[in-house]
Every structure is written in C-alpha cells, then in structure tokens.
Amino acid sequence: MGPKTEELLNILLWSAEILTNPSWRSLFESYEGWAYRNGLLIQLGRLEQRKWVTRKSRDRSDRVYRLSAQGRLQALGGRDPEARWGRAWDGRWRLVIFDIPSGQDAEREWLRRYLRGKDFGCLQNSVWITPDPMEEERRTLARGSINVASLVLLEARACAGESDEEIVSGAWNFSRINERYSRYLKTLEARPAGGLKSEAGAKKFFRWMSEERAAWLDAMTTDPLLPARLLPPNYLGQTAWRRRLHAMEKTARQTAEKK
C-alpha cells in the first residue's frame, strides 16, 4: 500500500462521525478544489475499486465516500486492536523450535523474519512462541524450503511452575513496546486544536495526522496485541488506543463545526 493510499485511509478514519460513518465530505466539503489539485479524488477512485471505500450513490457527482470495514482494517495498519485483545485463549502455548544446519543461513533468517512478522515472541533464537493456533504457519512451513526434519511445532503448557506472565515477559520486550506507545501519546497530545476553516489550518492538521499515523504504526509493529488476559499490568497499548478514539471523537466535532 502506497503512502498516498495510507494517507487517504487515515483521513477517512479520522474524519469518522464517532467512528460509525466515515465520510470524505465531512472533512473536505469546502476543499474539493484543493483535493482535485492534489490528485486525491483520483486516488479515492482507486480505493473504491479495491472496495476500501464505498459510495451510496453511483452518481459520479456524489462525493460522499465512506470507509468500508476492509478499508478501516487497512487504515488501522492491518490489525484491529480491540478484536485482537478480545480474542479468546485456550491456555495453551504454541511453539516453533528449529535447528537449521550450518550453511542454510538464508533459510534460518527467513524463518525468524516470518515468525516475527506473525507476532511470535522469541524465548531463544531458535524457540518462538504464540498463544494462537498455527494452522497457517503449519501450511506455510510445510511447503517452504526449510528442512522439516529440523523443525518442530508444538502445543504445550508450562509444567515447572512458570507463570504465563513470566513467559510473556521472556518472549516479548514490553519495555520497548511501552516506550513506543509513550512516544505515540506525546504525538497525540500535539494534535492541533484550531479549526479547519482555512486551507492552512487543514494542511497543518493533515501534517499532524501523518505524524500521528507514523507514530501509531511504529508502536503497533512491535506489539503482538496479545489476548487481554496475557497483557502485562503496565501495558500502555490499551491506554493509547482509548486516547486515540477520544481524539477521533474530538476531530469529528471539529469537522462538523465548519459546516
């Protein structure tokens, strides 16, 4: 997804009417000429083709675009935090344990990148863990270039007195995760409070939106979004998410004031 696509999806997400009816017109009714000059309406047409935005009317003069459920997920960075935190956990850990022979460094690094991208935690360099079932991982690894004789996938429970809290602390670096959420919260506090009645005010707000999205995604990329029962007590992710929603509500009122 290109930067302009990300920007537009983020604008629609932020211009939501309390996150229920995201509308392009709600933010840009007075700036359609500006939008045309910057090619944003052309980009909106591409988003519509991907079904990331929708229109109630097929009339080409209709400029009311709404973010679809799929588009909202893309705007959030591909994962819905509330859905991830709210998922059930059966109390079993899933482990990927591997011992890839020397001379197959590329395969080893591919596997580590793959597991990290799937939000696995690293207990050791060759022991990775997740609370989620591994159907997709089993299919992917079975047809990959990794020698399956050097790879084991397990379901397990701790049996020597280790707590789930200790396992989480050993597998994921929540100090680093919280540092990034702290930076995000500072960015959120810098949200422009002025109105959007002028082009200069709107552009200032859009610049901040780009900074906010970059800070949010920076925090999200390190966060496995574990089920709520596994989250550390000092975890800042849910606080950051609630404040983001609150900021979106304020933005919805800001955009409504200029109509």
Side-chain angles (χ1 to χ4, degrees):
M1 183 166 57
K4 283 191 175 182
T5 300
E6 290 185 2
E7 179 184 27
L8 281 172
L9 289 173
N10 201 42
I11 287 171
L12 284 167
L13 182 67
W14 272 86
S15 63
E17 183 180 351
I18 318 303
L19 291 185
T20 57
N21 291 302
S23 170
W24 172 262
R25 180 180 290 172
S26 69
L27 187 56
F28 283 102
E29 192 169 30
S30 301
Y31 298 106
E32 210 168 56
W34 177 82
Y36 271 118
R37 290 197 302 276
N38 287 274
L40 298 183
L41 294 180
I42 295 174
Q43 188 69 17
L44 274 170
R46 294 171 181 163
L47 298 185
E48 189 177 10
Q49 289 179 344
R50 297 185 183 184
K51 302 187 185 303
W52 289 352
V53 299
T54 60
R55 283 187 292 172
K56 286 187 177 180
S57 170
R58 303 309 300 172
D59 187 344
R60 293 184 63 84
S61 64
D62 179 18
R63 295 300 178 192
V64 180
Y65 289 86
R66 301 193 184 282
L67 200 60
S68 67
Q70 184 179 355
R72 180 179 181 274
L73 188 62
Q74 291 293 330
L76 290 173
R79 299 183 298 168
D80 185 332
E82 289 185 332
R84 297 289 292 168
W85 292 321
R87 71 192 187 277
W89 183 50
D90 59 9
R92 290 181 297 196
W93 291 101
R94 281 77 177 179
L95 290 87
V96 176
I97 303 173
F98 56 91
D99 182 16
I100 298 174
S102 299
Q104 298 183 26
D105 295 346
E107 288 88 346
R108 184 186 303 108
E109 288 307 310
W110 173 87
L111 181 55
R112 287 174 179 160
R113 285 195 303 270
Y114 174 82
L115 296 172
R116 191 177 296 113
K118 292 294 183 178
D119 301 314
F120 278 67
C122 181
L123 285 174
Q124 299 176 17
N125 283 339
S126 299
V127 181
W128 294 67
I129 192 169
T130 178
D132 300 313
M134 294 193 295
E135 284 84 358
E136 180 181 345
E137 288 77 12
R138 187 164 58 244
R139 290 192 301 268
T140 300
L141 298 177
R143 67 170 182 262
S145 58
I146 300 294
N147 182 355
V148 294
S150 302
L151 179 70
V152 179
L153 279 62
L154 300 174
E155 288 190 2
R157 296 180 188 269
C159 63
E162 306 91 336
S163 68
D164 293 326
E165 182 178 355
E166 289 171 331
I167 292 173
V168 167
S169 177
W172 290 276
N173 188 343
F174 273 91
S175 293
R176 184 177 65 170
I177 292 169
N178 279 339
E179 285 176 5
R180 296 196 181 191
Y181 277 122
S182 293
R183 290 200 295 268
Y184 171 75
L185 288 169
K186 290 180 180 178
T187 301
L188 202 59
E189 290 172 359
R191 184 178 66 89
L196 303 176
K197 295 182 180 180
S198 68
E199 184 170 328
K203 286 184 175 180
K204 180 180 180 181
F205 191 80
F206 297 155
R207 283 194 297 270
W208 173 82
M209 287 175 66
S210 296
E211 294 169 1
E212 182 276 337
R213 177 172 174 79
W216 175 253
L217 293 180
D218 184 56
M220 287 279 284
T221 54
T222 60
D223 189 349
L225 299 177
L226 297 174
R229 63 180 285 190
L230 292 174
L231 295 173
N234 63 342
Y235 172 62
L236 290 179
Q238 290 175 311
T239 297
W241 174 247
R242 286 192 297 268
R243 293 187 184 177
R244 191 180 201 220
L245 294 182
H246 184 58
M248 288 179 178
E249 293 177 4
K250 285 186 176 181
T251 300
R253 289 193 290 270
Q254 270 183 284
T255 59
E257 287 173 0
K258 75 178 187 63
K259 293 182 180 180

